[in-house]
Amino acid sequence: MMNLMHWRLLVAVADAENVSRAAERYGITQSGASQALTQMEEALGVKVFVRDRRQTSATAIGQQIIDRARRMLAEFESIQNLVDASRGCHLGRIKLASFPSVFANLLPPLLQSFSRLHPGIEIVSLEGTDEEVEQWLATSSVDLGVVMNPCPSRGAVLLGRDSWVAAVPATHDLARRSSASTVALKDLVDEPFILATGGCHLNGQSLVEREGLKLKDIKISVRDWTTAFALISEGMGISIVPASTLPVDRRGMRVFELSKPIYREFGLVCSPSGERTPSAQAFLNEIRKSTLGSHIPMTVRSTEAKVA
């Protein structure tokens, strides 16, 4: 069954003339976008695009469909603005808090989509540690916040999750394993360890302790991930990090999945003031529709980047 996400993706591909660029704009994978387009063409019973390695172009009937899709989306936006105006949420400001990795990986396409539908609402983004975000929510200093591993009672809108992985120097004995190998936490606790926290209470040390283990040789503790990866690449030690924080360039470093997978989930929740703010509720509802409408799980994987 087709929904607004499909029609928006259709128009985005037509504008970009490229499936990969359109997929990046919406924060989904190229394969996920291709699958969604194939589903649309099957549902319509016609070929909308002709795709090759360099360009994606519309067929004759496809161009007519795209033109009508543009008009349909414009009418939908007009209706949405009309409804917002009637509810008093067509204007306003939303204070949204999160930690940096979520702003970088999960929120941009959602914020862009909301801004297109609600151009009169300003979104003020605040970055902080997970503990700071929780404090801001508790004191209503912000309207909405992204929290880690929210309990069901908070009614959070789940944005996505990523896995914790082991990052080791390319010169380390563990690096000799194949890329398909996994690493157990117990194999890491005796090694020189770079403790990277990212400003969060959930980190390599707390994960190890939850399993009844203890790190025996913490060489250095750092807050930012970039420093941690530089130290790992220089052979200073190993670490356990979230997959979403891994750099594109991983020279000098190998990455392995944990044999017992551990995930962290990200959920969007309201503060007491956010519960009473029409613009914040409009944002929450849009994000809820966006995440429910997408069949592509927003999970960051740690597949090793190929380096020349």
Side-chain angles (χ1 to χ4, degrees), residues 144 157 268-270 279-289:
L144 298 162
V157 177
L268 185 66
V269 300
C270 266
S279 55
Q281 289 304 303
F283 181 83
L284 197 63
N285 289 334
E286 275 305 320
I287 301 304
R288 185 177 288 111
K289 286 189 289 185

Side-chain angles (χ1 to χ4, degrees), residues 24 30 34 45 48 56 58 60 78-79 101 103 121 157 179 186 201 209 220 246 249 261 263-265 273 300:
E24 183 178 355
Q30 188 273 339
S34 295
V48 178
T56 298
S78 175
I79 292 170
S101 60
F103 272 129
I121 298 178
V157 177
S179 298
K186 64 180 179 62
H201 75 281
E209 290 174 351
I220 188 171
L246 289 168
D249 184 356
Y263 299 97
R264 61 176 191 169
E265 293 186 332
S273 64
V300 184

Side-chain angles (χ1 to χ4, degrees), residues 167-186:
V168 305
T171 54
H172 196 280
D173 288 345
L174 287 171
R176 299 175 185 173
R177 301 186 180 189
S178 71
S179 298
S181 299
T182 59
V183 177
L185 286 180
K186 64 180 179 62

